[in-house]
Amino acid sequence: AENEPDPYDNIPEEDEPTTCTICLINRQGPCRPVWRKFERCMKDNTPKDDQDGEAKSDTPSMSEKCDIYMLPWITCIQGFRNRYTLIANDFFQHEMVGEVEKAINEDEKVLLDNIAISSIVQVGSEWDDVDKTQGKELADDEDATLVEGTAKINLWDGKSLRPIEIAYVKDQDGTLLGYEQFFDYKKCIKGNALSEEQRSKVGACNFHVNPSTTKSIQIFALYRDQEEESVIEEEAKSPNAEETKPKERKQALFYSNLVDMENVPVQAKEVPKPVEQSEPAKEE
């Protein structure tokens, strides 16, 4: 009924513990209030198995109860798409990329100081038109301005014969701008003999630069030995499997020097094609 109070108007400000990635991201930023209502509704209406394992037909579905909270969240996210790109990057920097870097030794890092950056990276054409005032602060109801870029990444390290594990791009302050884990490629090559074509494939790592904070960028690509299925199976069968340490996978992190944004190629603007005018039909 229209006059019924919203049961989620007074949710406690303190969040419940969770490992849900989408929850942890959306609990931040301008869409937090509408997300928390949607999250709590989903939790309260997640179907619980009855003793006989059958759902009651007269029980409203989670969708029927929670759509009223989902739609405002989606509308909010669409209005702050770039802010949530920044929030997600910050989350994955601490939860994933940072953890990956902790496991890399200094002797596993390789500086690519002779790389022709113009051949592997570019940013969108709108970079030339956006306001680049450094340190510009956003109003509460204002979305961030970001420009998408792309870095070409070799999916196979030709020297050590290792496949790509993860590629990512950071700015001059070490802030994560984007990453790619190439799941489809890794799934395709797992346990298979590779052809020369597969070894020479190039992938794309998309990232976003912030005109008010990004002065330069740095590209990273981690290559790591594939896990050997036979070794994993043998270790699992071992009576001392729990005490057996996993086989160390050799790895190498290649990285570029910092590249000033003034030296990063900008994608050419698309020139709209003129519309061809058809000649009027001649009267006979």
Side-chain angles (χ1 to χ4, degrees), residues 44-69:
D44 290 348
N45 292 282
T46 299
K48 295 179 175 61
D49 293 335
D50 294 331
Q51 291 182 351
D52 57 6
E54 295 182 2
K56 295 180 180 179
S57 59
D58 60 346
T59 303
S61 68
M62 180 167 58
S63 174
E64 290 173 313
K65 284 195 170 185
C66 298
D67 277 357
I68 190 175
Y69 302 108

PDB file of all heavy atoms in Angstrom, residues 44-69:
ATOM      1  N   ASP A  44      16.851 -10.484   3.177  1.00  0.00           N
ATOM      2  CA  ASP A  44      15.634 -10.874   3.900  1.00  0.00           C
ATOM      3  C   ASP A  44      14.740 -11.793   3.085  1.00  0.00           C
ATOM      4  O   ASP A  44      13.911 -12.516   3.650  1.00  0.00           O
ATOM      5  CB  ASP A  44      14.835  -9.627   4.297  1.00  0.00           C
ATOM      6  CG  ASP A  44      15.531  -8.819   5.381  1.00  0.00           C
ATOM      7  OD1 ASP A  44      16.499  -9.334   5.976  1.00  0.00           O
ATOM      8  OD2 ASP A  44      15.113  -7.663   5.615  1.00  0.00           O
ATOM      9  N   ASN A  45      14.884 -11.755   1.757  1.00  0.00           N
ATOM     10  CA  ASN A  45      13.956 -12.519   0.915  1.00  0.00           C
ATOM     11  C   ASN A  45      14.627 -13.601   0.086  1.00  0.00           C
ATOM     12  O   ASN A  45      14.037 -14.100  -0.873  1.00  0.00           O
ATOM     13  CB  ASN A  45      13.208 -11.552  -0.014  1.00  0.00           C
ATOM     14  CG  ASN A  45      12.273 -10.642   0.757  1.00  0.00           C
ATOM     15  OD1 ASN A  45      11.187 -11.039   1.161  1.00  0.00           O
ATOM     16  ND2 ASN A  45      12.706  -9.400   0.981  1.00  0.00           N
ATOM     17  N   THR A  46      15.859 -13.945   0.450  1.00  0.00           N
ATOM     18  CA  THR A  46      16.502 -15.078  -0.207  1.00  0.00           C
ATOM     19  C   THR A  46      15.769 -16.349   0.190  1.00  0.00           C
ATOM     20  O   THR A  46      15.583 -16.602   1.390  1.00  0.00           O
ATOM     21  CB  THR A  46      17.973 -15.184   0.207  1.00  0.00           C
ATOM     22  OG1 THR A  46      18.645 -13.997  -0.199  1.00  0.00           O
ATOM     23  CG2 THR A  46      18.639 -16.393  -0.436  1.00  0.00           C
ATOM     24  N   PRO A  47      15.317 -17.154  -0.787  1.00  0.00           N
ATOM     25  CA  PRO A  47      14.540 -18.364  -0.452  1.00  0.00           C
ATOM     26  C   PRO A  47      15.320 -19.299   0.458  1.00  0.00           C
ATOM     27  O   PRO A  47      16.491 -19.566   0.244  1.00  0.00           O
ATOM     28  CB  PRO A  47      14.293 -19.014  -1.818  1.00  0.00           C
ATOM     29  CG  PRO A  47      14.451 -17.906  -2.810  1.00  0.00           C
ATOM     30  CD  PRO A  47      15.479 -16.989  -2.235  1.00  0.00           C
ATOM     31  N   LYS A  48      14.652 -19.768   1.482  1.00  0.00           N
ATOM     32  CA  LYS A  48      15.236 -20.751   2.391  1.00  0.00           C
ATOM     33  C   LYS A  48      14.535 -22.083   2.165  1.00  0.00           C
ATOM     34  O   LYS A  48      13.323 -22.149   2.115  1.00  0.00           O
ATOM     35  CB  LYS A  48      15.064 -20.304   3.843  1.00  0.00           C
ATOM     36  CG  LYS A  48      15.823 -19.027   4.184  1.00  0.00           C
ATOM     37  CD  LYS A  48      15.598 -18.624   5.627  1.00  0.00           C
ATOM     38  CE  LYS A  48      16.444 -17.409   6.002  1.00  0.00           C
ATOM     39  NZ  LYS A  48      16.118 -16.223   5.192  1.00  0.00           N
ATOM     40  N   ASP A  49      15.330 -23.126   1.999  1.00  0.00           N
ATOM     41  CA  ASP A  49      14.773 -24.451   1.720  1.00  0.00           C
ATOM     42  C   ASP A  49      13.905 -24.944   2.865  1.00  0.00           C
ATOM     43  O   ASP A  49      14.298 -24.892   4.031  1.00  0.00           O
ATOM     44  CB  ASP A  49      15.892 -25.465   1.469  1.00  0.00           C
ATOM     45  CG  ASP A  49      16.648 -25.154   0.189  1.00  0.00           C
ATOM     46  OD1 ASP A  49      16.048 -24.506  -0.686  1.00  0.00           O
ATOM     47  OD2 ASP A  49      17.819 -25.551   0.093  1.00  0.00           O
ATOM     48  N   ASP A  50      12.704 -25.405   2.523  1.00  0.00           N
ATOM     49  CA  ASP A  50      11.854 -26.040   3.519  1.00  0.00           C
ATOM     50  C   ASP A  50      12.360 -27.458   3.768  1.00  0.00           C
ATOM     51  O   ASP A  50      13.241 -27.966   3.068  1.00  0.00           O
ATOM     52  CB  ASP A  50      10.400 -26.099   3.031  1.00  0.00           C
ATOM     53  CG  ASP A  50       9.813 -24.691   2.904  1.00  0.00           C
ATOM     54  OD1 ASP A  50      10.251 -23.815   3.663  1.00  0.00           O
ATOM     55  OD2 ASP A  50       8.925 -24.501   2.050  1.00  0.00           O
ATOM     56  N   GLN A  51      11.772 -28.105   4.743  1.00  0.00           N
ATOM     57  CA  GLN A  51      12.196 -29.467   5.047  1.00  0.00           C
ATOM     58  C   GLN A  51      11.979 -30.397   3.868  1.00  0.00           C
ATOM     59  O   GLN A  51      12.744 -31.318   3.642  1.00  0.00           O
ATOM     60  CB  GLN A  51      11.439 -29.996   6.271  1.00  0.00           C
ATOM     61  CG  GLN A  51      11.840 -29.281   7.570  1.00  0.00           C
ATOM     62  CD  GLN A  51      11.112 -29.861   8.764  1.00  0.00           C
ATOM     63  OE1 GLN A  51      10.197 -30.667   8.613  1.00  0.00           O
ATOM     64  NE2 GLN A  51      11.536 -29.452   9.962  1.00  0.00           N
ATOM     65  N   ASP A  52      10.926 -30.139   3.104  1.00  0.00           N
ATOM     66  CA  ASP A  52      10.664 -31.017   1.962  1.00  0.00           C
ATOM     67  C   ASP A  52      11.367 -30.530   0.705  1.00  0.00           C
ATOM     68  O   ASP A  52      11.244 -31.120  -0.366  1.00  0.00           O
ATOM     69  CB  ASP A  52       9.157 -31.128   1.701  1.00  0.00           C
ATOM     70  CG  ASP A  52       8.515 -29.754   1.476  1.00  0.00           C
ATOM     71  OD1 ASP A  52       9.262 -28.747   1.415  1.00  0.00           O
ATOM     72  OD2 ASP A  52       7.275 -29.703   1.371  1.00  0.00           O
ATOM     73  N   GLY A  53      12.103 -29.385   0.827  1.00  0.00           N
ATOM     74  CA  GLY A  53      12.870 -28.901  -0.320  1.00  0.00           C
ATOM     75  C   GLY A  53      12.056 -28.186  -1.357  1.00  0.00           C
ATOM     76  O   GLY A  53      12.567 -27.831  -2.416  1.00  0.00           O
ATOM     77  N   GLU A  54      10.772 -27.956  -1.100  1.00  0.00           N
ATOM     78  CA  GLU A  54       9.929 -27.306  -2.090  1.00  0.00           C
ATOM     79  C   GLU A  54       9.573 -25.894  -1.638  1.00  0.00           C
ATOM     80  O   GLU A  54       9.322 -25.637  -0.456  1.00  0.00           O
ATOM     81  CB  GLU A  54       8.646 -28.114  -2.303  1.00  0.00           C
ATOM     82  CG  GLU A  54       8.891 -29.488  -2.911  1.00  0.00           C
ATOM     83  CD  GLU A  54       7.580 -30.221  -3.136  1.00  0.00           C
ATOM     84  OE1 GLU A  54       6.521 -29.632  -2.852  1.00  0.00           O
ATOM     85  OE2 GLU A  54       7.636 -31.377  -3.585  1.00  0.00           O
ATOM     86  N   ALA A  55       9.582 -24.958  -2.606  1.00  0.00           N
ATOM     87  CA  ALA A  55       9.218 -23.577  -2.292  1.00  0.00           C
ATOM     88  C   ALA A  55       7.698 -23.464  -2.229  1.00  0.00           C
ATOM     89  O   ALA A  55       6.972 -24.146  -2.947  1.00  0.00           O
ATOM     90  CB  ALA A  55       9.769 -22.639  -3.361  1.00  0.00           C
ATOM     91  N   LYS A  56       7.238 -22.578  -1.355  1.00  0.00           N
ATOM     92  CA  LYS A  56       5.801 -22.360  -1.252  1.00  0.00           C
ATOM     93  C   LYS A  56       5.324 -21.483  -2.400  1.00  0.00           C
ATOM     94  O   LYS A  56       5.864 -20.417  -2.653  1.00  0.00           O
ATOM     95  CB  LYS A  56       5.473 -21.701   0.082  1.00  0.00           C
ATOM     96  CG  LYS A  56       5.792 -22.589   1.292  1.00  0.00           C
ATOM     97  CD  LYS A  56       5.445 -21.878   2.584  1.00  0.00           C
ATOM     98  CE  LYS A  56       5.761 -22.755   3.792  1.00  0.00           C
ATOM     99  NZ  LYS A  56       5.447 -22.075   5.060  1.00  0.00           N
ATOM    100  N   SER A  57       4.276 -21.928  -3.076  1.00  0.00           N
ATOM    101  CA  SER A  57       3.805 -21.220  -4.264  1.00  0.00           C
ATOM    102  C   SER A  57       3.182 -19.872  -3.938  1.00  0.00           C
ATOM    103  O   SER A  57       3.117 -18.987  -4.783  1.00  0.00           O
ATOM    104  CB  SER A  57       2.786 -22.090  -5.020  1.00  0.00           C
ATOM    105  OG  SER A  57       1.690 -22.398  -4.173  1.00  0.00           O
ATOM    106  N   ASP A  58       2.712 -19.699  -2.695  1.00  0.00           N
ATOM    107  CA  ASP A  58       2.055 -18.454  -2.340  1.00  0.00           C
ATOM    108  C   ASP A  58       3.027 -17.412  -1.750  1.00  0.00           C
ATOM    109  O   ASP A  58       2.622 -16.352  -1.296  1.00  0.00           O
ATOM    110  CB  ASP A  58       0.914 -18.705  -1.348  1.00  0.00           C
ATOM    111  CG  ASP A  58       1.402 -19.354  -0.056  1.00  0.00           C
ATOM    112  OD1 ASP A  58       2.557 -19.839  -0.044  1.00  0.00           O
ATOM    113  OD2 ASP A  58       0.629 -19.376   0.923  1.00  0.00           O
ATOM    114  N   THR A  59       4.334 -17.723  -1.752  1.00  0.00           N
ATOM    115  CA  THR A  59       5.336 -16.797  -1.214  1.00  0.00           C
ATOM    116  C   THR A  59       5.818 -15.874  -2.323  1.00  0.00           C
ATOM    117  O   THR A  59       6.271 -16.353  -3.368  1.00  0.00           O
ATOM    118  CB  THR A  59       6.535 -17.577  -0.644  1.00  0.00           C
ATOM    119  OG1 THR A  59       6.059 -18.485   0.340  1.00  0.00           O
ATOM    120  CG2 THR A  59       7.551 -16.623  -0.038  1.00  0.00           C
ATOM    121  N   PRO A  60       5.737 -14.544  -2.125  1.00  0.00           N
ATOM    122  CA  PRO A  60       6.224 -13.615  -3.158  1.00  0.00           C
ATOM    123  C   PRO A  60       7.712 -13.840  -3.420  1.00  0.00           C
ATOM    124  O   PRO A  60       8.484 -14.115  -2.511  1.00  0.00           O
ATOM    125  CB  PRO A  60       5.973 -12.234  -2.538  1.00  0.00           C
ATOM    126  CG  PRO A  60       4.956 -12.452  -1.478  1.00  0.00           C
ATOM    127  CD  PRO A  60       5.180 -13.845  -0.966  1.00  0.00           C
ATOM    128  N   SER A  61       8.094 -13.758  -4.679  1.00  0.00           N
ATOM    129  CA  SER A  61       9.488 -13.982  -5.029  1.00  0.00           C
ATOM    130  C   SER A  61      10.339 -12.791  -4.596  1.00  0.00           C
ATOM    131  O   SER A  61       9.834 -11.703  -4.322  1.00  0.00           O
ATOM    132  CB  SER A  61       9.616 -14.174  -6.540  1.00  0.00           C
ATOM    133  OG  SER A  61       9.316 -12.956  -7.208  1.00  0.00           O
ATOM    134  N   MET A  62      11.670 -13.011  -4.547  1.00  0.00           N
ATOM    135  CA  MET A  62      12.583 -11.936  -4.194  1.00  0.00           C
ATOM    136  C   MET A  62      12.466 -10.789  -5.192  1.00  0.00           C
ATOM    137  O   MET A  62      12.519  -9.625  -4.822  1.00  0.00           O
ATOM    138  CB  MET A  62      14.021 -12.455  -4.147  1.00  0.00           C
ATOM    139  CG  MET A  62      15.036 -11.380  -3.783  1.00  0.00           C
ATOM    140  SD  MET A  62      16.657 -12.043  -3.359  1.00  0.00           S
ATOM    141  CE  MET A  62      17.078 -12.929  -4.843  1.00  0.00           C
ATOM    142  N   SER A  63      12.283 -11.147  -6.467  1.00  0.00           N
ATOM    143  CA  SER A  63      12.144 -10.118  -7.498  1.00  0.00           C
ATOM    144  C   SER A  63      10.923  -9.240  -7.243  1.00  0.00           C
ATOM    145  O   SER A  63      10.996  -8.009  -7.326  1.00  0.00           O
ATOM    146  CB  SER A  63      12.034 -10.774  -8.878  1.00  0.00           C
ATOM    147  OG  SER A  63      11.764  -9.813  -9.866  1.00  0.00           O
ATOM    148  N   GLU A  64       9.806  -9.864  -6.908  1.00  0.00           N
ATOM    149  CA  GLU A  64       8.586  -9.098  -6.669  1.00  0.00           C
ATOM    150  C   GLU A  64       8.740  -8.149  -5.483  1.00  0.00           C
ATOM    151  O   GLU A  64       8.231  -7.034  -5.499  1.00  0.00           O
ATOM    152  CB  GLU A  64       7.417 -10.060  -6.411  1.00  0.00           C
ATOM    153  CG  GLU A  64       6.974 -10.828  -7.636  1.00  0.00           C
ATOM    154  CD  GLU A  64       5.930 -11.879  -7.298  1.00  0.00           C
ATOM    155  OE1 GLU A  64       6.121 -12.631  -6.320  1.00  0.00           O
ATOM    156  OE2 GLU A  64       4.911 -11.939  -8.004  1.00  0.00           O
ATOM    157  N   LYS A  65       9.477  -8.578  -4.479  1.00  0.00           N
ATOM    158  CA  LYS A  65       9.627  -7.753  -3.287  1.00  0.00           C
ATOM    159  C   LYS A  65      10.736  -6.708  -3.425  1.00  0.00           C
ATOM    160  O   LYS A  65      10.655  -5.634  -2.830  1.00  0.00           O
ATOM    161  CB  LYS A  65       9.931  -8.648  -2.072  1.00  0.00           C
ATOM    162  CG  LYS A  65       8.715  -9.385  -1.540  1.00  0.00           C
ATOM    163  CD  LYS A  65       9.018  -9.930  -0.158  1.00  0.00           C
ATOM    164  CE  LYS A  65       7.746 -10.451   0.499  1.00  0.00           C
ATOM    165  NZ  LYS A  65       7.974 -10.878   1.894  1.00  0.00           N
ATOM    166  N   CYS A  66      11.777  -7.023  -4.199  1.00  0.00           N
ATOM    167  CA  CYS A  66      12.973  -6.175  -4.183  1.00  0.00           C
ATOM    168  C   CYS A  66      13.161  -5.308  -5.420  1.00  0.00           C
ATOM    169  O   CYS A  66      14.056  -4.459  -5.439  1.00  0.00           O
ATOM    170  CB  CYS A  66      14.217  -7.037  -3.965  1.00  0.00           C
ATOM    171  SG  CYS A  66      14.210  -7.915  -2.382  1.00  0.00           S
ATOM    172  N   ASP A  67      12.337  -5.499  -6.463  1.00  0.00           N
ATOM    173  CA  ASP A  67      12.465  -4.650  -7.653  1.00  0.00           C
ATOM    174  C   ASP A  67      12.303  -3.176  -7.309  1.00  0.00           C
ATOM    175  O   ASP A  67      12.938  -2.305  -7.914  1.00  0.00           O
ATOM    176  CB  ASP A  67      11.432  -5.045  -8.711  1.00  0.00           C
ATOM    177  CG  ASP A  67      11.893  -6.226  -9.541  1.00  0.00           C
ATOM    178  OD1 ASP A  67      13.034  -6.689  -9.326  1.00  0.00           O
ATOM    179  OD2 ASP A  67      11.114  -6.692 -10.402  1.00  0.00           O
ATOM    180  N   ILE A  68      11.464  -2.888  -6.324  1.00  0.00           N
ATOM    181  CA  ILE A  68      11.216  -1.505  -5.928  1.00  0.00           C
ATOM    182  C   ILE A  68      12.487  -0.842  -5.385  1.00  0.00           C
ATOM    183  O   ILE A  68      12.650   0.379  -5.425  1.00  0.00           O
ATOM    184  CB  ILE A  68      10.078  -1.441  -4.889  1.00  0.00           C
ATOM    185  CG1 ILE A  68       9.640   0.003  -4.666  1.00  0.00           C
ATOM    186  CG2 ILE A  68      10.507  -2.086  -3.577  1.00  0.00           C
ATOM    187  CD1 ILE A  68       8.442   0.129  -3.761  1.00  0.00           C
ATOM    188  N   TYR A  69      13.442  -1.655  -4.902  1.00  0.00           N
ATOM    189  CA  TYR A  69      14.714  -1.134  -4.412  1.00  0.00           C
ATOM    190  C   TYR A  69      15.825  -1.277  -5.452  1.00  0.00           C
ATOM    191  O   TYR A  69      16.783  -0.494  -5.437  1.00  0.00           O
ATOM    192  CB  TYR A  69      15.119  -1.861  -3.129  1.00  0.00           C
ATOM    193  CG  TYR A  69      14.084  -1.744  -2.039  1.00  0.00           C
ATOM    194  CD1 TYR A  69      13.291  -2.827  -1.667  1.00  0.00           C
ATOM    195  CD2 TYR A  69      13.868  -0.525  -1.394  1.00  0.00           C
ATOM    196  CE1 TYR A  69      12.333  -2.719  -0.678  1.00  0.00           C
ATOM    197  CE2 TYR A  69      12.907  -0.401  -0.401  1.00  0.00           C
ATOM    198  CZ  TYR A  69      12.140  -1.491  -0.056  1.00  0.00           C
ATOM    199  OH  TYR A  69      11.175  -1.363   0.918  1.00  0.00           O
TER     200      TYR A  69
END
